[in-house]
Amino acid sequence: MFKRILIANRGEIAVRIIRACMEMNIESVAVYSTADKECLHVKLATKSVCIGPARAQDSYLNMDAIISAAKVTGCDALHPGFGFLSENPDFVRKCQEAGITFIGPSPEAMEALGNKATARKIMKKAGVPVVPGSDGPVSDYKELEKIAKKVGYPVLIKASAGGGGRGMRRVYEPSDLQKLYEEAKAETIANFNDDEMYLEKLIVNPRHIEFQILADEKGNVIHLGERDCSIQRKNQKLIEESPCMYIKNDLRNAMGKAAVQAAKAAGYTNAGTVEFVVDEKGHYYFIEMNTRIQVEHGVTEAVTGIDLIKEQIRIAFHEPLKLKQKDVNIKGHAIECRINAEDPAKGFMPNSGKIGFLNVPGGPGVRVDTLLYNGYETSPFYDSMMAKIIVHAPSRLEAIRRMRRALLELTTEGITTNGDFDYLLLHHPDFVKGNYNVSFIEKHMEEILKWDQAAADIEEL
Ligand code: ADP
Ligand code: ADP
Ligand code: MG
């Protein structure tokens, strides 16, 4: 097994990976920016190395600094977490050149899938249903206009390099196409230093349903069931759950097979996620494949009992999967709430502060992955996600009740989070019934915000 793994990340995911290393008797090396020297991942790792100033460009995105930290500390492998360099094939190649195993897919698979327009082509060829749209990237506005007309409105302009819900615009009227195209393109250039765009038909009120897959280097590919991630704001996930109560077994099996097919078609190895949108008639369409561990992986861990980070490490060490598809059993129901330092009442605007009193929920069936501790000062330089609460219970209703209870226990003095908002959302009758799609928050925003906590508390559901 690997002796020492460098974790090229920060925050709760760095802590999560260190925990897996500790349980596998592998030493861990944390890297940190000058803004992060007091962070939890630095305290928990076997060793730590400062890699530069606060700005991510100068530290967590500084490939040479990270690789030299790995070399100096004698690491034989590197885990990228999510965000930062996790989806950068040049970084994977640099690791390989330095003789350090990158815990993730090959740079070729990452490259092919990282461009979302190219990924669509691969999937189409492999017989995986994709959203109707452009055949690869569109070169200019004129072409976009033609394709939009052919596909039929409403359409969705998307960025080939997109991520985190950025670089996309919904277009309902042809007269808005040009303005929204310019907007989407500008956002793409600003965020991804790239301007390649493509077009998809806008599926109206879909659910976002994704499949976790594991693929070893011997050609074995399995899926670990689905996650419903339809509770979103700004095209970004806020609450995720597994299993998805909307899909019946036939559809689940078909989508699971398509996800495995997708991974095989791309020559994919390690853990990955195949994302689909599912329309109101139950038709499913591939939207993208994420070539890394996801924020919401804990939901799958809860219902399958499989430790995804350990599996990633074993696969990277060339071990064959011990599990077969028939060994994967989904038990009970899991829900995750992402706790962000953001104010739902102010358009989910991020805020920062110093943590005073902190109470982290606990008790039966509650897992909290967080970077918070008493006295932690949040940094405006990085992502606003502060914690993830994951609950597991025998049934969905029990999981909902458990999550409400956990949210009541959560106290993060010093910052405003979306915790209270989630608490109210979890009382909404449509959520309780499982009757929701990606427009849920947009549609019920006012209602949820106006909801009085006392009324929610006596809610029978
Ligand atoms: P998931 O599908 O796992 O929920 P997200 O798209 O929400 O993934 O992104 C996971 C994390 O990575 C988030 O913290 C997000 O801010 C960050 N992220 C996503 N895309 C990028 C990117 N291109 N560059 C930097 N960070 C990103
Ligand atoms: P990102 O790379 O930013 O995660 P995705 O392609 O995964 O982008 O899409 C993010 C979200 O945008 C989806 O979860 C869904 O809510 C919405 N979305 C994406 N494609 C479509 C589509 N064709 N029709 C409707 N909604 C879509
Ligand atoms: Mg996505």
Side-chain angles (χ1 to χ4, degrees):
M1 189 29 77
F2 298 120
K3 286 206 164 43
R4 200 171 289 154
I5 297 178
L6 182 129
I7 294 128
N9 215 295
R10 67 180 301 281
E12 61 80 28
I13 190 63
V15 172
R16 167 72 189 90
I17 299 160
I18 292 169
R19 286 181 172 144
C21 290
M22 287 167 93
E23 292 179 14
M24 294 174 88
N25 279 329
I26 300 171
E27 290 183 350
S28 54
V29 175
V31 291
Y32 63 98
S33 71
T34 49
D36 277 350
K37 57 177 187 292
E38 299 300 330
C39 275
L40 216 47
H41 70 291
V42 178
K43 293 183 209 245
L44 292 178
T46 319
K47 273 192 184 147
S48 60
V49 182
C50 181
I51 45 163
R55 233 167 50 107
Q57 282 300 340
D58 304 325
S59 48
Y60 299 106
L61 291 173
N62 185 342
M63 300 191 218
D64 293 334
I66 294 171
I67 296 206
S68 101
K71 278 195 191 157
V72 171
T73 53
C75 288
D76 43 1
L78 178 149
H79 197 303
F82 48 66
F84 297 124
L85 294 168
S86 62
E87 292 171 279
N88 186 326
D90 295 337
F91 183 58
V92 184
R93 290 194 182 101
K94 280 189 183 242
C95 289
Q96 289 176 341
E97 282 157 21
I100 297 160
T101 305
F102 178 88
I103 301 173
S106 69
E108 292 77 24
M110 188 184 275
E111 203 147 50
L113 295 166
N115 181 306
K116 294 165 74 176
T118 310
R120 279 169 57 82
K121 276 191 177 170
I122 298 172
M123 297 310 153
K124 210 170 159 184
K125 209 170 143 209
V128 177
V130 300
V131 188
S134 62
D135 238 356
V138 287
S139 51
D140 56 21
Y141 178 70
K142 277 244 139 15
E143 198 193 341
L144 184 85
E145 203 175 20
K146 246 192 256 157
I147 299 167
K149 199 168 165 197
K150 201 172 121 209
V151 167
Y153 286 82
V155 296
L156 184 62
I157 304 168
K158 299 177 85 168
S160 298
R166 281 161 299 199
M168 60 173 88
R169 288 292 182 280
R170 298 175 192 173
V171 189
Y172 294 90
E173 299 291 337
S175 56
D176 294 334
L177 188 69
Q178 184 148 19
K179 180 176 151 276
L180 292 166
Y181 170 65
E182 300 300 339
E183 255 183 60
K185 201 164 155 175
E187 192 173 296
T188 305
I189 295 169
N191 279 286
F192 309 106
N193 196 21
D194 186 279
D195 67 354
E196 196 183 284
M197 309 302 288
Y198 67 106
L199 185 116
E200 281 181 358
K201 185 161 185 67
L202 180 80
I203 306 298
V204 180
N205 297 332
R207 295 181 79 117
H208 172 116
I209 299 174
E210 59 184 34
F211 278 72
Q212 176 70 53
I213 66 107
L214 282 177
D216 67 17
E217 292 174 1
K218 325 279 175 217
N220 303 305
V221 187
I222 59 169
H223 73 81
L224 305 186
E226 77 281 5
R227 296 182 286 256
D228 189 323
C229 312
S230 305
I231 301 293
Q232 305 182 348
R233 48 110 186 72
K234 302 179 189 166
N235 296 314
Q236 267 179 0
K237 304 158 186 167
L238 207 58
I239 300 179
E240 301 99 344
E241 61 178 313
S242 183
C244 164
M245 63 182 301
Y246 175 72
I247 58 172
K248 304 264 180 309
N249 268 335
D250 283 357
L251 181 54
R252 174 173 292 118
N253 292 335
M255 289 178 76
K257 272 197 190 128
V260 167
Q261 184 57 30
K264 284 187 173 161
Y268 194 82
T269 52
N270 215 287
T273 299
V274 184
E275 297 191 334
F276 299 96
V277 283
V278 181
D279 72 12
E280 287 166 319
K281 290 191 183 124
H283 297 129
Y284 63 94
Y285 307 94
F286 168 89
I287 49 170
E288 67 161 338
M289 180 156 178
N290 288 325
T291 57
R292 53 169 163 88
I293 195 74
Q294 305 254 142
V295 171
E296 58 274 20
H297 72 278
V299 165
T300 299
E301 292 185 324
V303 293
T304 60
I306 295 166
D307 186 313
L308 284 165
I309 306 289
K310 288 182 186 168
E311 291 297 332
Q312 284 194 292
I313 294 173
R314 288 188 200 110
I315 292 170
F317 197 68
H318 315 302
E319 286 184 14
L321 280 173
K322 287 206 177 73
L323 294 156
K324 301 250 176 323
Q325 191 63 57
K326 63 174 174 28
D327 302 325
V328 179
N329 294 308
I330 307 297
K331 201 168 153 243
H333 198 95
I335 303 178
E336 169 178 277
C337 284
R338 299 187 186 196
I339 304 299
N340 305 317
E342 63 183 23
D343 190 348
K346 293 186 183 149
F348 296 97
M349 195 166 73
N351 63 85
S352 48
K354 187 171 176 170
I355 302 294
F357 179 68
L358 173 71
N359 190 52
V360 175
V366 178
R367 161 177 167 186
V368 180
D369 284 15
T370 182
L371 80 168
L372 295 178
Y373 57 87
N374 287 302
Y376 173 74
E377 222 173 319
T378 65
S379 174
F381 287 101
Y382 313 114
D383 202 82
S384 61
M385 193 172 76
M386 297 289 126
K388 303 184 306 205
I389 306 179
I390 301 145
V391 299
H392 186 214
S395 69
R396 184 170 185 267
L397 191 55
E398 286 163 289
I400 292 175
R401 288 192 172 134
R402 185 157 274 172
M403 182 59 90
R404 293 173 184 163
R405 186 270 288 170
L407 288 166
L408 282 180
E409 284 181 36
L410 176 74
T411 311
T412 55
E413 210 182 79
I415 55 169
T416 303
T417 74
N418 57 312
D420 291 347
F421 175 81
D422 286 1
Y423 178 80
L424 297 173
L425 192 159
L426 288 170
H427 286 80
H428 196 287
D430 284 342
F431 180 82
V432 175
K433 284 183 213 143
N435 182 15
Y436 64 78
N437 57 52
V438 298
S439 312
F440 182 86
I441 290 187
E442 221 174 297
K443 187 170 160 205
H444 298 293
M445 191 69 200
E446 293 296 311
E447 217 177 317
I448 296 169
L449 283 176
K450 267 195 296 199
W451 215 336
D452 161 330
Q453 180 142 346
D457 284 340
I458 56 164
E459 181 66 59
E460 280 294 296
L461 292 162

